[in-house]
């Protein structure tokens, strides 16, 4: 999952980004309104965390432009100044949720999970596919009763594909979801990464297919419907 964090307070931005990355999200930071606007226009974000007081364009202008382009990326507004009329105005402009600063990290992460769930149409933090079970809150995965030993990025990749089961994820989109601009990443490295994932999942009948020229998808397991 790729998040754009728009925050001009460098210390706060770095702290939040570090915490979100530890939870397996890919995070890009924009420190002013125009930068946020152009990154959002380019697309590829699963969620935006948007501060209101920003240089260049303020947060509500960035939000207005985003929705003016009919982009549906969920937006979590974050601000210290938040009178009721302001909250109402922001929700009416197309914000999905808001948090009043100073933000509690646990609450921020819970709201991020809730918005991503809503976007994916999932009701809970748990996702089961055949013998694969994911806990989006605990960032853990199991195959049957056995906990999978995964890196943060592997976890993020499995969650990304499992949340879009049987849907092809373009290689470009997959790379965007998992790597930030600072990461040096080649198509070859992605192939290696995918094959490592396969070796962890295939023994349990979970298959990641490659569609040549298009991308990847996680195949819905057949005949593995556990009702527990
Ligand atoms: Ca600010």
């Amino acid at each position: 999952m790729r998040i754009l964090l728009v925050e001009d307070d460098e210390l706060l931005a770095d702290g939040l980004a570090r915490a979100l990355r530890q939870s397996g999200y890919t995070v890009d930071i924009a420190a002013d309104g125009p930068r946020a606007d152009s990154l959002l226009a380019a697309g590829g974000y699963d969620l935006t965390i948007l501060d209101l007081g920003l240089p260049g364009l303020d947060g509500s202008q960035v939000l207005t432009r985003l929705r003016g382009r009919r982009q549906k990326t969920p937006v979590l507004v974050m601000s210290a100044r938040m009178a009721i009329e302001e909250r109402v105005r922001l929700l009416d402009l197309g914000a999905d949720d808001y948090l009043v600063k100073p933000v509690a990290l646990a609450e921020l992460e819970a709201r991020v999970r809730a918005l991503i769930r809503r976007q994916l149409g999932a009701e809970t933090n748990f996702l089961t596919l055949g013998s694969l079970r994911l806990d989006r809150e605990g960032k853990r995965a199991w195959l049957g009763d056995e906990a999978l030993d995964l890196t943060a990025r592997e976890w993020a990749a499995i969650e990304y594909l499992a949340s879009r089961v049987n849907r092809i994820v373009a290689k470009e989109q997959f790379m965007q979801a998992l790597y930030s601009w600072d990461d040096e990443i080649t198509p070859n490295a992605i192939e290696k990464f995918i094959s490592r994932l396969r070796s962890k999942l295939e023994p349990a009948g979970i298959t990641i297919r490659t569609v040549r020229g298009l991308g990847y998808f996680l195949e819905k397991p057949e005949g593995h419907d556990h009702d527990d």
Side-chain angles (χ1 to χ4, degrees):
M1 299 288 165
R2 191 183 190 92
I3 295 177
L4 179 64
L5 173 61
V6 187
E7 171 59 67
D8 59 328
D9 177 335
E10 201 180 324
L11 228 75
L12 178 60
D14 285 347
L16 293 178
R18 193 172 325 121
L20 290 165
R21 284 178 188 133
Q22 268 168 13
S23 294
Y25 298 103
T26 299
V27 182
D28 295 329
I29 298 173
D32 62 59
R35 177 79 175 141
D37 186 53
S38 69
L39 287 173
L40 285 169
Y45 291 102
D46 300 290
L47 179 90
T48 305
I49 300 172
L50 181 63
D51 180 34
L52 286 187
L54 294 168
L57 290 169
D58 72 23
S60 66
Q61 289 172 301
V62 172
L63 176 61
T64 304
R65 290 182 181 213
L66 177 77
R67 295 306 184 224
R69 290 187 297 265
R70 303 193 175 281
Q71 288 182 288
K72 296 196 176 84
T73 316
V75 174
L76 173 57
V77 165
M78 191 170 61
S79 179
R81 47 155 220 250
M82 200 79 93
I84 290 173
E85 312 83 70
E86 178 76 346
R87 292 180 214 165
V88 170
R89 190 177 72 90
L90 287 162
L91 291 170
D92 283 342
L93 279 177
D96 297 275
D97 201 356
Y98 57 82
L99 263 179
V100 178
K101 284 181 179 175
V103 301
L105 201 52
E107 187 181 10
L108 174 73
E109 293 211 28
R111 287 179 190 265
V112 165
R113 283 194 298 275
L115 288 175
I116 287 175
R117 270 202 314 271
R118 199 190 299 166
Q119 189 196 20
L120 295 169
E123 292 91 12
T124 72
N125 281 325
F126 288 93
L127 192 158
T128 305
L129 281 172
S131 58
L132 174 68
R133 193 157 52 91
L134 302 178
D135 169 8
R136 290 194 171 103
E137 184 179 356
K139 308 280 171 197
R140 301 180 65 201
W142 295 265
L143 282 176
D145 293 330
E146 207 168 317
L148 271 174
D149 185 20
L150 300 169
T151 64
R153 186 165 286 158
E154 287 171 340
W155 195 92
I158 291 175
E159 190 207 6
Y160 199 83
L161 292 172
S163 299
R164 294 161 177 77
V165 71
N166 274 356
R167 278 158 55 192
I168 295 173
V169 173
K171 201 170 188 173
E172 184 63 25
Q173 181 189 347
F174 190 66
M175 284 165 70
Q176 275 194 358
L178 298 180
Y179 297 88
S180 63
W181 323 300
D182 326 336
D183 297 319
E184 289 279 338
I185 181 72
T186 62
N188 198 27
I190 283 277
E191 294 298 336
K192 281 194 183 141
F193 177 72
I194 288 277
S195 75
R196 234 184 9 255
L197 277 185
R198 283 195 175 114
S199 67
K200 292 191 179 187
L201 296 176
E202 274 180 0
I206 304 291
T207 309
I208 299 171
R209 301 259 180 224
T210 300
V211 185
R212 207 160 288 282
L214 286 178
Y216 310 98
F217 70 95
L218 196 146
E219 193 172 59
K220 187 167 190 177
E222 297 282 344
H224 284 273
D225 292 328
H226 294 304
D227 286 320
D228 291 324

